[in-house]
Amino acid sequence: MTISVLLVDDHELIRQGLRRAFERDGDCEVVGEAGTLADAHRLLGLATPHVVILDVRLPDGNGLDACRKIRANNPEIGIVILTMYAGDDQLFGALDSGASAFVPKNAPAEDVVAAARQAASTPRSFTATDLAEAMQRRLSPTGPQLSPREREVLGLLADGLGVAQISRQLYISESTTKTHISKLYEKLGAGNRAQALMTALKLGLLKRDEPGL
Amino acid sequence: MGRFRWSTSETIVITVRFGVLTLCGVLSLLAVPSQPIWAPVLLVLIALGTSVPAKTTRIRWIRSIVEAALVAAIIGVGIPATDPLLPYVVVAPFAAGLLAGALPSTTTVLTSLFVLSATQVINDQLPARAEIGLIAEWIGLALVAGLLSAWGRSVTTRDQQTKSTYATAHHLLTELRDVARVLPTGLDEISLAQEVLRALLDELPGDRAALYTNGTGGVLTQLAHEGEGRIDWIPDLEAGCWGEAWTSGLPVQQFGMFDNPEHGHAVVFPLRLGDRPLGLIGVERQAAGWSGASLETAQGLANEAALRIDTGQLFTEVRTMATVEERRRLAREIHDGVAQEVAALGYAVDELAANASDDHSRTALMGLRAELSRIVNELRLSIFDLRSDVQPTRGLGSALSGYLRSVGTDSGLTVHLVLDEAAFRLPIDVETELLRIAQEAITNARKHARARNLWVTCRIDPPKAFLRIADDGAGLGSPRADSYGIDIMRERSDRLGANMSLRARVGGGTVVEVSLSDSVVIGG
């Protein structure tokens, strides 16, 4: 079966390079090209291809938003996000908006073709070159980094101690304790003790069975 | 007569005045019963007298009323012989409308009407029906002409107001530029704040003092502090002497220091610009409290300082805005331009490699492809660099860890990050400069040194900060390779007044350190 592909990118040269790559492959056929999201939606309205190759920055909008829209209308269409932007946020953004694959623009054309094949056969899965590493980075605590003292204060807060008690236990002044607490709240994006503890628990900064230090 | 300068509106009025006068003259000459010569002569004298420029709107208004009254009297006395002069009653309301506005114009018309009627009563001869019609006609025309000219005036005034707003803005900006050049500390908010604290402590002896401003994201920022050690008072704007000073706008003294309520005294001064709270200054000491008089003097200093600090902050904000905007524009330009072109070139090389007839050229083309991929990746990271910024809600720590996370993604570096941030943030422009230095050092480690590990330490304790970026790469190598980047880092750290050091790491690699110390302990 021939895989039909729609290319959405505002750069003529990029579309041309990809079209040639799909032609070389033999199993794929580029059935349409669009330079804007408006054109892309119009073409999608006429006929549904197996796969859409979608750039993120387009003259009339964001490719990730478009991806979400296309996914809502066609649960079985393959969507490959192709972008010049770097960073985990972009990768997870693509995952969140229902894309089937994420390919950076520095990857060879063959990678785009391979991603398109994958997307055509399993549109609801997600592939990206360094997905595993990105997941690992996301899970490792690169978000809020607590200093050792802040960890201690957090543990004592979780044990239900008040500011005065914490100060006594750690031999620090009350205002220093308050500083640590307000910094903790800021790092955890919390407005009060309950929120701070919930967030800390979710991020794995606190373990349920681990008493305060 | 250099003193007499007519504005455009006045020139129009004078033109109309003498135009109408000429018309009246012609009508008089054509009139069947010959005219008394005194009436036109008097009108010419009045016209000359009222053409002298007047400075204020009020004077122009009064002048128009006088003109209207005199003209009406002259015409009224001579009626019906002076009928050909009636068009002249239009002139005064027209002048009043254009030079003073709608209300003056209307009063002028009413004056004409009143004086004309009065003269008829005094003459004791009721004019014929035709006369009344003629007078009413011209009075009506005068009203219309006056209102039209008043409308014209309102349109031109609005134009002039826009023009004068620009003129004011231009004047202010020029002044700002001159001030920024001339002032010993420039408009740098931190040095301004330090200067203010020192001046305040000269007036009001204390052990420690700190100045906070309503900085980024509505959070108080410690701009400067004086005295021993680190100050981490957390001003509570809702309660206590901080809160009271913040809401009342008056200095508030308390028993006990901020950190140690059992000893000494403390006082909080509000920094305000008019009614707008800008920040707070806290001072504490072990010894006894201060007298009311000395608090008053110190508050005077604080009031003076508020304007300076706010100006510094405005200036910084404008500068930061301009820089951020320019960086975003650059990012867009690279993204839409050269980056896409090189990426497309990569696809073209892919095609050549796929169609290559022999292994030798295929290997060569794949090498070329790898190089192009590397270049595109560099461009992607440059775009990312240009788009990374500290934000009101996202401080240096989180901007830095976000940046490192993404750089890790695309370079295979293992990143070890230690963040130690105090409760307060640095001013946003300082955070931005530090982030840029870190970005540059990290880029060097990644690009030129081919490092495998990256250790980043960031300690922030406003107004002090410390940043260390270490890698286990090839070391500094030939000084030429990345000297451009090092120059930029030095420039940035000089701008902050920070110390930057660059040395080889024990065990291979490079260490870059930037420390922003309190200017009091320079060299310490």
Side-chain angles (χ1 to χ4, degrees):
Chain A
M1 185 193 73
T2 313
I3 299 172
S4 54
V5 178
L6 170 66
L7 297 177
V8 186
D9 194 303
D10 55 333
H11 292 87
E12 167 91 50
L13 284 170
I14 296 276
R15 292 202 306 267
Q16 190 185 325
L18 289 174
R19 173 188 275 276
R20 295 253 174 89
F22 279 111
E23 278 167 6
R24 285 201 298 282
D25 183 70
D27 289 345
C28 302
E29 190 197 352
V30 176
V31 294
E33 289 183 25
T36 60
L37 286 178
D39 275 358
H41 287 302
R42 193 175 50 78
L43 289 174
L44 282 169
L46 297 177
T48 308
H50 292 113
V51 182
V52 181
I53 311 288
L54 192 55
D55 189 12
V56 170
R57 192 177 134 82
L58 286 152
D60 56 344
N62 184 306
L64 295 183
D65 294 340
C67 174
R68 212 166 280 130
K69 211 159 142 191
I70 296 171
R71 172 58 73 223
N73 293 332
N74 310 282
E76 294 308 319
I77 198 171
I79 307 172
V80 177
I81 295 291
L82 181 70
T83 184
M84 190 58 81
Y85 287 134
D88 288 358
D89 291 350
Q90 294 293 324
L91 191 147
F92 288 116
L95 175 62
D96 284 343
S97 39
S100 327
F102 176 89
V103 184
K105 272 196 180 161
N106 57 329
E110 278 66 34
D111 285 15
V112 183
V113 175
R117 281 167 176 282
Q118 180 86 25
S121 62
T122 53
R124 308 304 304 276
S125 64
F126 183 79
T127 49
T129 346
D130 56 357
L131 182 59
E133 289 100 321
M135 291 299 280
Q136 218 164 10
R137 275 191 296 273
R138 193 178 225 197
L139 293 173
S140 66
T142 34
Q145 296 253 327
L146 304 188
S147 69
R149 207 6 100 72
E150 283 163 355
R151 275 176 188 283
E152 282 180 290
V153 174
L154 179 67
L156 293 173
L157 274 179
D159 287 348
L161 268 60
V163 175
Q165 289 165 296
I166 295 175
S167 315
R168 269 201 295 283
Q169 191 138 351
L170 297 178
Y171 303 103
I172 55 180
S173 77
E174 282 193 20
S175 92
T176 310
T177 309
K178 280 189 202 154
T179 311
H180 288 310
I181 293 175
S182 75
K183 193 65 211 172
L184 263 175
Y185 285 4
E186 193 196 314
K187 283 186 179 176
L188 296 171
N192 55 41
R193 175 189 289 232
Q195 275 177 13
L197 293 179
M198 276 307 293
T199 313
L201 208 56
K202 265 191 215 152
L203 292 171
L205 297 171
L206 270 177
K207 297 197 174 55
R208 273 175 211 277
D209 53 351
E210 182 190 340
L213 297 164
Chain B
M1 301 250 278
R3 223 148 40 85
F4 283 5
R5 298 265 307 269
W6 286 292
S7 67
T8 323
S9 313
E10 272 175 310
T11 317
I12 294 173
V13 168
I14 290 167
T15 316
V16 168
R17 180 174 288 136
F18 285 97
V20 174
L21 198 61
T22 315
L23 178 76
C24 294
V26 172
L27 287 177
S28 302
L29 288 178
L30 294 178
V32 181
S34 67
Q35 292 295 305
I37 193 68
W38 56 270
V41 170
L42 282 178
L43 279 196
V44 170
L45 287 179
I46 292 169
L48 286 175
T50 48
S51 294
V52 175
K55 265 195 192 131
T56 67
T57 312
R58 186 174 290 272
I59 293 177
R60 290 172 185 164
W61 184 355
I62 294 169
R63 189 182 64 188
S64 291
I65 287 183
V66 170
E67 184 181 15
L70 289 175
V71 169
I74 292 165
I75 297 173
V77 167
I79 272 179
T82 45
D83 277 358
L85 298 180
L86 262 176
Y88 198 82
V89 297
V90 173
V91 170
F94 177 83
L98 199 63
L99 299 177
L103 178 68
S105 166
T106 316
T107 51
T108 312
V109 176
L110 290 175
T111 309
S112 302
L113 185 61
F114 173 76
V115 175
L116 272 176
S117 314
T119 48
Q120 298 317 299
V121 174
I122 293 167
N123 283 0
D124 204 17
Q125 56 172 86
L126 288 177
R129 203 171 254 268
E131 286 295 334
I132 294 175
L134 197 62
I135 291 173
E137 219 167 75
W138 281 108
I139 290 290
L141 273 176
L143 190 67
V144 171
L147 290 179
L148 276 177
S149 68
W151 175 73
R153 169 190 154 83
S154 75
V155 171
T156 46
T157 324
R158 221 173 301 142
D159 247 23
Q160 275 167 358
Q161 270 165 358
T162 321
K163 250 186 238 163
S164 73
T165 313
Y166 273 107
T168 318
H170 180 263
H171 176 72
L172 285 176
L173 285 174
T174 314
E175 212 156 83
L176 180 64
R177 183 188 58 195
D178 296 348
V179 164
R181 279 183 191 157
V182 169
L183 282 185
T185 52
L187 278 172
D188 167 33
E189 46 187 338
I190 298 177
S191 7
L192 280 172
Q194 270 165 348
E195 216 173 69
V196 167
L197 277 187
R198 262 171 243 149
L200 192 83
L201 286 179
D202 281 345
E203 204 57 51
L204 193 82
D207 299 335
R208 305 203 297 168
L211 190 150
Y212 301 87
T213 54
N214 201 355
T216 34
V219 182
L220 278 190
T221 312
Q222 197 182 65
L223 267 194
H225 68 70
E226 286 283 308
E228 286 291 300
R230 157 178 180 165
I231 292 184
D232 46 18
W233 308 328
I234 306 173
D236 183 351
L237 296 183
E238 313 275 304
C241 52
W242 296 105
E244 210 177 304
W246 180 260
T247 40
S248 71
L250 296 169
V252 179
Q253 193 172 183
Q254 69 168 24
F255 292 109
M257 299 188 292
F258 297 117
D259 261 345
N260 188 349
E262 254 112 87
H263 301 281
H265 286 78
V267 60
V268 179
F269 298 99
L271 284 173
R272 286 191 163 214
L273 208 58
D275 286 338
R276 187 163 63 91
L278 277 184
L280 296 165
I281 300 178
V283 184
E284 66 172 20
R285 69 163 166 181
Q286 286 276 2
W290 302 270
S291 72
S294 59
L295 289 187
E296 212 166 287
T297 323
Q299 182 62 50
L301 278 175
N303 293 342
E304 220 173 274
L307 179 64
R308 260 183 287 161
I309 289 172
D310 196 45
T311 313
Q313 281 183 324
L314 278 177
F315 190 63
T316 304
E317 211 178 300
V318 169
R319 205 170 41 187
T320 311
M321 248 160 43
T323 321
V324 167
E325 185 42 49
E326 186 57 17
R327 289 177 70 88
R328 303 217 153 217
R329 198 187 59 74
L330 263 175
R332 282 197 297 273
E333 211 153 86
I334 296 174
H335 180 279
D336 294 345
V338 65
Q340 303 289 347
E341 277 160 27
V342 181
L345 195 60
Y347 293 151
V349 174
D350 286 339
E351 185 172 13
L352 289 176
N355 298 335
S357 48
D358 61 304
D359 284 354
H360 178 71
S361 48
R362 181 169 302 125
T363 319
L365 284 167
M366 278 162 74
L368 176 60
R369 175 46 172 166
E371 193 57 18
L372 284 175
S373 285
R374 190 188 64 75
I375 294 171
V376 175
N377 204 35
E378 282 307 326
L379 289 170
R380 290 174 66 217
L381 289 173
S382 306
I383 294 168
F384 185 77
D385 270 16
L386 289 169
R387 284 160 52 92
S388 308
D389 270 304
V390 293
Q391 276 154 15
T393 49
R394 189 168 170 264
L396 178 59
S398 89
L400 194 57
S401 63
Y403 177 75
L404 282 167
R405 197 156 57 213
S406 296
V407 169
T409 319
D410 288 278
S411 60
L413 274 174
T414 307
V415 178
H416 312 265
L417 172 66
V418 178
L419 271 182
D420 180 8
E421 293 178 278
F424 293 105
R425 281 178 61 177
L426 293 162
I428 201 160
D429 53 322
V430 178
E431 284 189 341
T432 306
E433 292 290 354
L434 287 174
L435 178 69
R436 301 273 175 261
I437 294 173
Q439 282 178 345
E440 195 64 51
I442 293 161
T443 305
N444 284 341
R446 187 175 55 75
K447 242 199 237 174
H448 308 295
R450 298 181 201 290
R452 290 172 52 219
N453 284 288
L454 192 66
W455 293 270
V456 178
T457 306
C458 173
R459 272 195 204 100
I460 298 167
D461 175 19
K464 287 183 279 183
F466 174 78
L467 193 65
R468 176 196 286 140
I469 293 110
D471 67 73
D472 58 356
L476 294 167
S478 64
R480 204 174 55 91
D482 54 2
S483 60
Y484 183 54
I486 291 170
D487 282 352
I488 291 177
M489 288 197 291
R490 279 212 193 285
E491 243 171 59
R492 290 189 185 279
S493 88
D494 286 350
R495 205 174 307 157
L496 290 178
N499 284 319
M500 194 189 104
S501 74
L502 189 75
R503 57 185 156 84
R505 177 175 162 268
V506 182
T510 314
V511 181
V512 177
E513 283 182 351
V514 180
S515 63
L516 181 63
S517 56
D518 217 309
S519 59
V520 192
V521 284
I522 274 181

